[in-house]
mmCIF file of all heavy atoms in Angstrom:
data_model
loop_
_atom_site.group_PDB
_atom_site.id
_atom_site.type_symbol
_atom_site.label_atom_id
_atom_site.label_comp_id
_atom_site.label_asym_id
_atom_site.label_seq_id
_atom_site.Cartn_x
_atom_site.Cartn_y
_atom_site.Cartn_z
ATOM 1 N N ALA A 25 0.787 -1.255 -0.041
ATOM 2 C CA ALA A 25 -0.059 -0.028 0.012
ATOM 3 C C ALA A 25 0.853 1.249 -0.033
ATOM 4 O O ALA A 25 0.296 2.365 0.056
ATOM 5 C CB ALA A 25 -0.935 -0.023 1.185
ATOM 6 N N ARG A 26 2.100 1.178 -0.057
ATOM 7 C CA ARG A 26 2.969 2.292 -0.045
ATOM 8 C C ARG A 26 2.996 3.227 -1.234
ATOM 9 O O ARG A 26 3.404 4.363 -1.220
ATOM 10 C CB ARG A 26 4.436 1.949 0.359
ATOM 11 C CG ARG A 26 4.634 1.371 1.761
ATOM 12 C CD ARG A 26 6.019 0.877 2.015
ATOM 13 N NE ARG A 26 6.134 0.257 3.327
ATOM 14 C CZ ARG A 26 7.183 -0.433 3.730
ATOM 15 N NH1 ARG A 26 8.187 -0.581 2.979
ATOM 16 N NH2 ARG A 26 7.206 -1.027 4.911
ATOM 17 N N ASP A 27 2.606 2.612 -2.384
ATOM 18 C CA ASP A 27 2.529 3.415 -3.643
ATOM 19 C C ASP A 27 1.271 4.246 -3.766
ATOM 20 O O ASP A 27 1.137 4.960 -4.675
ATOM 21 C CB ASP A 27 2.741 2.464 -4.819
ATOM 22 C CG ASP A 27 4.145 1.823 -4.747
ATOM 23 O OD1 ASP A 27 5.029 2.367 -4.229
ATOM 24 O OD2 ASP A 27 4.240 0.672 -5.341
ATOM 25 N N ALA A 28 0.265 4.055 -2.906
ATOM 26 C CA ALA A 28 -1.032 4.834 -3.012
ATOM 27 C C ALA A 28 -0.753 6.188 -2.420
ATOM 28 O O ALA A 28 -0.647 6.304 -1.266
ATOM 29 C CB ALA A 28 -2.017 4.028 -2.245
ATOM 30 N N VAL A 29 -0.777 7.231 -3.307
ATOM 31 C CA VAL A 29 -0.462 8.561 -2.847
ATOM 32 C C VAL A 29 -1.641 9.547 -3.152
ATOM 33 O O VAL A 29 -1.689 10.650 -2.650
ATOM 34 C CB VAL A 29 0.768 9.168 -3.464
ATOM 35 C CG1 VAL A 29 1.960 8.472 -3.059
ATOM 36 C CG2 VAL A 29 0.600 9.069 -5.024
ATOM 37 N N SER A 30 -2.716 9.072 -3.881
ATOM 38 C CA SER A 30 -3.848 9.782 -4.160
ATOM 39 C C SER A 30 -4.980 9.292 -3.257
ATOM 40 O O SER A 30 -5.026 8.190 -2.794
ATOM 41 C CB SER A 30 -4.253 9.816 -5.632
ATOM 42 O OG SER A 30 -4.738 8.537 -6.017
ATOM 43 N N ILE A 31 -5.999 10.195 -3.099
ATOM 44 C CA ILE A 31 -7.155 9.794 -2.265
ATOM 45 C C ILE A 31 -7.916 8.550 -2.839
ATOM 46 O O ILE A 31 -8.226 7.661 -2.162
ATOM 47 C CB ILE A 31 -8.058 10.971 -2.049
ATOM 48 C CG1 ILE A 31 -7.403 12.096 -1.220
ATOM 49 C CG2 ILE A 31 -9.338 10.594 -1.398
ATOM 50 C CD1 ILE A 31 -8.171 13.346 -1.044
ATOM 51 N N LEU A 32 -8.036 8.662 -4.183
ATOM 52 C CA LEU A 32 -8.777 7.543 -4.785
ATOM 53 C C LEU A 32 -7.973 6.270 -4.764
ATOM 54 O O LEU A 32 -8.598 5.196 -4.587
ATOM 55 C CB LEU A 32 -9.099 7.906 -6.197
ATOM 56 C CG LEU A 32 -9.930 7.016 -7.052
ATOM 57 C CD1 LEU A 32 -11.356 6.779 -6.349
ATOM 58 C CD2 LEU A 32 -10.165 7.386 -8.507
ATOM 59 N N ASP A 33 -6.672 6.283 -5.008
ATOM 60 C CA ASP A 33 -5.859 5.133 -4.940
ATOM 61 C C ASP A 33 -5.922 4.511 -3.534
ATOM 62 O O ASP A 33 -5.966 3.265 -3.357
ATOM 63 C CB ASP A 33 -4.443 5.416 -5.286
ATOM 64 C CG ASP A 33 -4.293 5.699 -6.766
ATOM 65 O OD1 ASP A 33 -5.213 5.322 -7.581
ATOM 66 O OD2 ASP A 33 -3.281 6.331 -7.136
ATOM 67 N N CYS A 34 -5.920 5.325 -2.470
ATOM 68 C CA CYS A 34 -5.949 4.751 -1.120
ATOM 69 C C CYS A 34 -7.319 4.095 -0.863
ATOM 70 O O CYS A 34 -7.345 3.041 -0.178
ATOM 71 C CB CYS A 34 -5.759 5.914 -0.066
ATOM 72 S SG CYS A 34 -4.044 6.606 -0.060
ATOM 73 N N TRP A 35 -8.359 4.704 -1.410
ATOM 74 C CA TRP A 35 -9.692 4.005 -1.171
ATOM 75 C C TRP A 35 -9.804 2.722 -1.937
ATOM 76 O O TRP A 35 -10.344 1.809 -1.505
ATOM 77 C CB TRP A 35 -10.786 5.045 -1.626
ATOM 78 C CG TRP A 35 -12.238 4.546 -1.483
ATOM 79 C CD1 TRP A 35 -12.947 4.565 -0.336
ATOM 80 C CD2 TRP A 35 -13.024 3.935 -2.431
ATOM 81 N NE1 TRP A 35 -14.128 4.001 -0.551
ATOM 82 C CE2 TRP A 35 -14.208 3.589 -1.775
ATOM 83 C CE3 TRP A 35 -12.836 3.611 -3.759
ATOM 84 C CZ2 TRP A 35 -15.269 2.945 -2.461
ATOM 85 C CZ3 TRP A 35 -13.853 2.906 -4.508
ATOM 86 C CH2 TRP A 35 -15.076 2.669 -3.752
ATOM 87 N N LYS A 36 -9.200 2.709 -3.144
ATOM 88 C CA LYS A 36 -9.308 1.516 -3.910
ATOM 89 C C LYS A 36 -8.408 0.289 -3.325
ATOM 90 O O LYS A 36 -8.610 -0.805 -3.878
ATOM 91 C CB LYS A 36 -8.801 1.750 -5.347
ATOM 92 C CG LYS A 36 -9.846 2.571 -6.216
ATOM 93 C CD LYS A 36 -9.422 2.597 -7.648
ATOM 94 C CE LYS A 36 -10.496 3.242 -8.474
ATOM 95 N NZ LYS A 36 -10.168 3.388 -9.893
ATOM 96 N N LEU A 37 -7.679 0.595 -2.319
ATOM 97 C CA LEU A 37 -6.985 -0.529 -1.691
ATOM 98 C C LEU A 37 -8.026 -1.420 -0.920
ATOM 99 O O LEU A 37 -7.722 -2.560 -0.594
ATOM 100 C CB LEU A 37 -5.978 0.007 -0.655
ATOM 101 C CG LEU A 37 -4.751 0.760 -1.188
ATOM 102 C CD1 LEU A 37 -3.999 1.362 -0.023
ATOM 103 C CD2 LEU A 37 -3.866 -0.174 -1.941
ATOM 104 N N TYR A 38 -9.202 -0.871 -0.522
ATOM 105 C CA TYR A 38 -10.198 -1.585 0.121
ATOM 106 C C TYR A 38 -11.468 -2.034 -0.719
ATOM 107 O O TYR A 38 -11.995 -3.069 -0.383
ATOM 108 C CB TYR A 38 -10.619 -0.715 1.285
ATOM 109 C CG TYR A 38 -9.551 -0.286 2.185
ATOM 110 C CD1 TYR A 38 -8.897 0.843 2.092
ATOM 111 C CD2 TYR A 38 -9.135 -1.170 3.213
ATOM 112 C CE1 TYR A 38 -7.853 1.206 2.827
ATOM 113 C CE2 TYR A 38 -8.069 -0.809 3.999
ATOM 114 C CZ TYR A 38 -7.450 0.339 3.861
ATOM 115 O OH TYR A 38 -6.360 0.673 4.686
ATOM 116 N N PHE A 39 -11.720 -1.323 -1.748
ATOM 117 C CA PHE A 39 -12.681 -1.678 -2.757
ATOM 118 C C PHE A 39 -11.969 -1.769 -4.102
ATOM 119 O O PHE A 39 -11.938 -0.774 -4.837
ATOM 120 C CB PHE A 39 -13.889 -0.781 -2.809
ATOM 121 C CG PHE A 39 -14.847 -0.905 -1.606
ATOM 122 C CD1 PHE A 39 -14.715 0.103 -0.629
ATOM 123 C CD2 PHE A 39 -15.654 -1.957 -1.499
ATOM 124 C CE1 PHE A 39 -15.581 -0.003 0.507
ATOM 125 C CE2 PHE A 39 -16.509 -2.034 -0.339
ATOM 126 C CZ PHE A 39 -16.463 -1.092 0.598
ATOM 127 N N THR A 40 -11.291 -2.853 -4.395
ATOM 128 C CA THR A 40 -10.522 -2.981 -5.517
ATOM 129 C C THR A 40 -11.420 -3.076 -6.783
ATOM 130 O O THR A 40 -12.675 -3.219 -6.699
ATOM 131 C CB THR A 40 -9.658 -4.278 -5.529
ATOM 132 O OG1 THR A 40 -10.522 -5.429 -5.366
ATOM 133 C CG2 THR A 40 -8.736 -4.211 -4.176
ATOM 134 N N ASN A 41 -10.848 -2.970 -7.945
ATOM 135 C CA ASN A 41 -11.548 -3.084 -9.246
ATOM 136 C C ASN A 41 -12.298 -4.402 -9.315
ATOM 137 O O ASN A 41 -13.477 -4.474 -9.856
ATOM 138 C CB ASN A 41 -10.674 -2.922 -10.426
ATOM 139 C CG ASN A 41 -10.158 -1.446 -10.527
ATOM 140 O OD1 ASN A 41 -10.751 -0.502 -10.043
ATOM 141 N ND2 ASN A 41 -8.903 -1.212 -11.064
ATOM 142 N N SER A 42 -11.676 -5.510 -8.917
ATOM 143 C CA SER A 42 -12.336 -6.774 -8.965
ATOM 144 C C SER A 42 -13.570 -6.866 -8.030
ATOM 145 O O SER A 42 -14.578 -7.444 -8.425
ATOM 146 C CB SER A 42 -11.319 -7.941 -8.626
ATOM 147 O OG SER A 42 -10.905 -7.734 -7.275
ATOM 148 N N ASP A 43 -13.493 -6.221 -6.871
ATOM 149 C CA ASP A 43 -14.652 -6.189 -5.944
ATOM 150 C C ASP A 43 -15.772 -5.385 -6.611
ATOM 151 O O ASP A 43 -16.920 -5.737 -6.507
ATOM 152 C CB ASP A 43 -14.233 -5.532 -4.682
ATOM 153 C CG ASP A 43 -13.274 -6.355 -3.856
ATOM 154 O OD1 ASP A 43 -13.285 -7.627 -4.036
ATOM 155 O OD2 ASP A 43 -12.405 -5.816 -3.103
ATOM 156 N N VAL A 44 -15.440 -4.269 -7.184
ATOM 157 C CA VAL A 44 -16.545 -3.431 -7.861
ATOM 158 C C VAL A 44 -16.997 -4.153 -9.032
ATOM 159 O O VAL A 44 -18.240 -4.073 -9.237
ATOM 160 C CB VAL A 44 -15.931 -2.006 -8.266
ATOM 161 C CG1 VAL A 44 -16.974 -1.199 -8.930
ATOM 162 C CG2 VAL A 44 -15.382 -1.235 -6.947
ATOM 163 N N ASP A 45 -16.214 -4.814 -9.815
ATOM 164 C CA ASP A 45 -16.725 -5.595 -11.044
ATOM 165 C C ASP A 45 -17.681 -6.703 -10.476
ATOM 166 O O ASP A 45 -18.716 -6.895 -11.183
ATOM 167 C CB ASP A 45 -15.519 -6.225 -11.738
ATOM 168 C CG ASP A 45 -14.712 -5.210 -12.508
ATOM 169 O OD1 ASP A 45 -15.219 -4.076 -12.710
ATOM 170 O OD2 ASP A 45 -13.553 -5.464 -12.767
ATOM 171 N N ASN A 46 -17.384 -7.291 -9.394
ATOM 172 C CA ASN A 46 -18.352 -8.239 -8.920
ATOM 173 C C ASN A 46 -19.663 -7.677 -8.491
ATOM 174 O O ASN A 46 -20.787 -8.292 -8.652
ATOM 175 C CB ASN A 46 -17.672 -9.055 -7.700
ATOM 176 C CG ASN A 46 -18.582 -10.221 -7.147
ATOM 177 O OD1 ASN A 46 -18.797 -11.149 -7.863
ATOM 178 N ND2 ASN A 46 -19.014 -10.025 -5.938
ATOM 179 N N ILE A 47 -19.593 -6.496 -7.792
ATOM 180 C CA ILE A 47 -20.870 -5.815 -7.506
ATOM 181 C C ILE A 47 -21.573 -5.463 -8.783
ATOM 182 O O ILE A 47 -22.895 -5.593 -8.786
ATOM 183 C CB ILE A 47 -20.556 -4.572 -6.662
ATOM 184 C CG1 ILE A 47 -19.930 -4.927 -5.302
ATOM 185 C CG2 ILE A 47 -21.842 -3.688 -6.514
ATOM 186 C CD1 ILE A 47 -19.525 -3.755 -4.447
ATOM 187 N N VAL A 48 -20.938 -5.009 -9.815
ATOM 188 C CA VAL A 48 -21.593 -4.613 -11.067
ATOM 189 C C VAL A 48 -22.254 -5.910 -11.672
ATOM 190 O O VAL A 48 -23.327 -5.765 -12.116
ATOM 191 C CB VAL A 48 -20.529 -4.017 -12.074
ATOM 192 C CG1 VAL A 48 -21.238 -3.927 -13.420
ATOM 193 C CG2 VAL A 48 -20.105 -2.705 -11.538
ATOM 194 N N LYS A 49 -21.595 -6.978 -11.644
ATOM 195 C CA LYS A 49 -22.117 -8.218 -12.167
ATOM 196 C C LYS A 49 -23.386 -8.650 -11.482
ATOM 197 O O LYS A 49 -24.399 -9.035 -12.132
ATOM 198 C CB LYS A 49 -21.063 -9.347 -12.144
ATOM 199 C CG LYS A 49 -21.547 -10.659 -12.617
ATOM 200 C CD LYS A 49 -20.415 -11.733 -12.430
ATOM 201 C CE LYS A 49 -20.925 -13.086 -12.796
ATOM 202 N NZ LYS A 49 -19.857 -14.192 -12.638
ATOM 203 N N CYS A 50 -23.319 -8.642 -10.105
ATOM 204 C CA CYS A 50 -24.506 -9.126 -9.363
ATOM 205 C C CYS A 50 -25.642 -8.159 -9.470
ATOM 206 O O CYS A 50 -26.800 -8.557 -9.485
ATOM 207 C CB CYS A 50 -24.077 -9.279 -7.961
ATOM 208 S SG CYS A 50 -22.774 -10.602 -7.672
ATOM 209 N N THR A 51 -25.352 -6.827 -9.518
ATOM 210 C CA THR A 51 -26.384 -5.807 -9.701
ATOM 211 C C THR A 51 -27.161 -5.966 -11.041
ATOM 212 O O THR A 51 -28.332 -5.819 -11.130
ATOM 213 C CB THR A 51 -25.770 -4.429 -9.562
ATOM 214 O OG1 THR A 51 -25.152 -4.331 -8.196
ATOM 215 C CG2 THR A 51 -26.876 -3.331 -9.626
ATOM 216 N N ASN A 52 -26.366 -6.245 -12.132
ATOM 217 C CA ASN A 52 -26.929 -6.402 -13.410
ATOM 218 C C ASN A 52 -27.867 -7.619 -13.467
ATOM 219 O O ASN A 52 -28.887 -7.574 -14.141
ATOM 220 C CB ASN A 52 -25.842 -6.478 -14.438
ATOM 221 C CG ASN A 52 -25.224 -5.077 -14.758
ATOM 222 O OD1 ASN A 52 -25.804 -4.157 -14.628
ATOM 223 N ND2 ASN A 52 -23.922 -5.186 -15.229
ATOM 224 N N ILE A 53 -27.452 -8.650 -12.765
ATOM 225 C CA ILE A 53 -28.397 -9.831 -12.647
ATOM 226 C C ILE A 53 -29.782 -9.379 -12.062
ATOM 227 O O ILE A 53 -30.835 -9.899 -12.610
ATOM 228 C CB ILE A 53 -27.711 -10.971 -11.848
ATOM 229 C CG1 ILE A 53 -26.423 -11.515 -12.516
ATOM 230 C CG2 ILE A 53 -28.720 -12.084 -11.569
ATOM 231 C CD1 ILE A 53 -25.720 -12.474 -11.780
ATOM 232 N N TYR A 54 -29.665 -8.635 -11.051
ATOM 233 C CA TYR A 54 -30.996 -8.259 -10.449
ATOM 234 C C TYR A 54 -31.730 -7.201 -11.298
ATOM 235 O O TYR A 54 -32.943 -7.205 -11.307
ATOM 236 C CB TYR A 54 -30.742 -7.713 -9.027
ATOM 237 C CG TYR A 54 -32.011 -7.593 -8.169
ATOM 238 C CD1 TYR A 54 -32.523 -8.775 -7.647
ATOM 239 C CD2 TYR A 54 -32.642 -6.371 -8.094
ATOM 240 C CE1 TYR A 54 -33.649 -8.650 -6.814
ATOM 241 C CE2 TYR A 54 -33.822 -6.270 -7.318
ATOM 242 C CZ TYR A 54 -34.349 -7.411 -6.732
ATOM 243 O OH TYR A 54 -35.485 -7.344 -5.967
ATOM 244 N N LEU A 55 -30.982 -6.298 -11.971
ATOM 245 C CA LEU A 55 -31.600 -5.362 -12.869
ATOM 246 C C LEU A 55 -32.365 -6.116 -13.982
ATOM 247 O O LEU A 55 -33.445 -5.746 -14.381
ATOM 248 C CB LEU A 55 -30.595 -4.425 -13.420
ATOM 249 C CG LEU A 55 -30.046 -3.301 -12.573
ATOM 250 C CD1 LEU A 55 -28.919 -2.551 -13.236
ATOM 251 C CD2 LEU A 55 -31.266 -2.337 -12.210
ATOM 252 N N ASP A 56 -31.732 -7.167 -14.493
ATOM 253 C CA ASP A 56 -32.417 -7.960 -15.572
ATOM 254 C C ASP A 56 -33.778 -8.576 -15.006
ATOM 255 O O ASP A 56 -34.669 -8.735 -15.783
ATOM 256 C CB ASP A 56 -31.509 -9.073 -16.018
ATOM 257 C CG ASP A 56 -32.006 -9.838 -17.207
ATOM 258 O OD1 ASP A 56 -32.266 -9.225 -18.279
ATOM 259 O OD2 ASP A 56 -32.253 -11.102 -16.981
#
């Protein structure tokens, strides 16, 4: 985590792109 110097990069350490992608996938299933 030492390379995270922006506010958004620090936040993405806890909600990574893979976590958000999984939320998007499960949300689209329910939207359908």
Side-chain angles (χ1 to χ4, degrees):
R26 291 175 185 169
D27 295 334
V29 293
S30 69
I31 293 178
L32 185 59
D33 289 341
C34 293
W35 182 83
K36 285 187 175 181
L37 293 172
Y38 302 94
F39 288 104
T40 61
N41 290 332
S42 60
D43 294 329
V44 177
D45 290 340
N46 184 64
I47 295 176
V48 170
K49 176 183 175 182
C50 299
T51 303
N52 285 333
I53 293 175
Y54 194 79
L55 284 172
D56 184 61

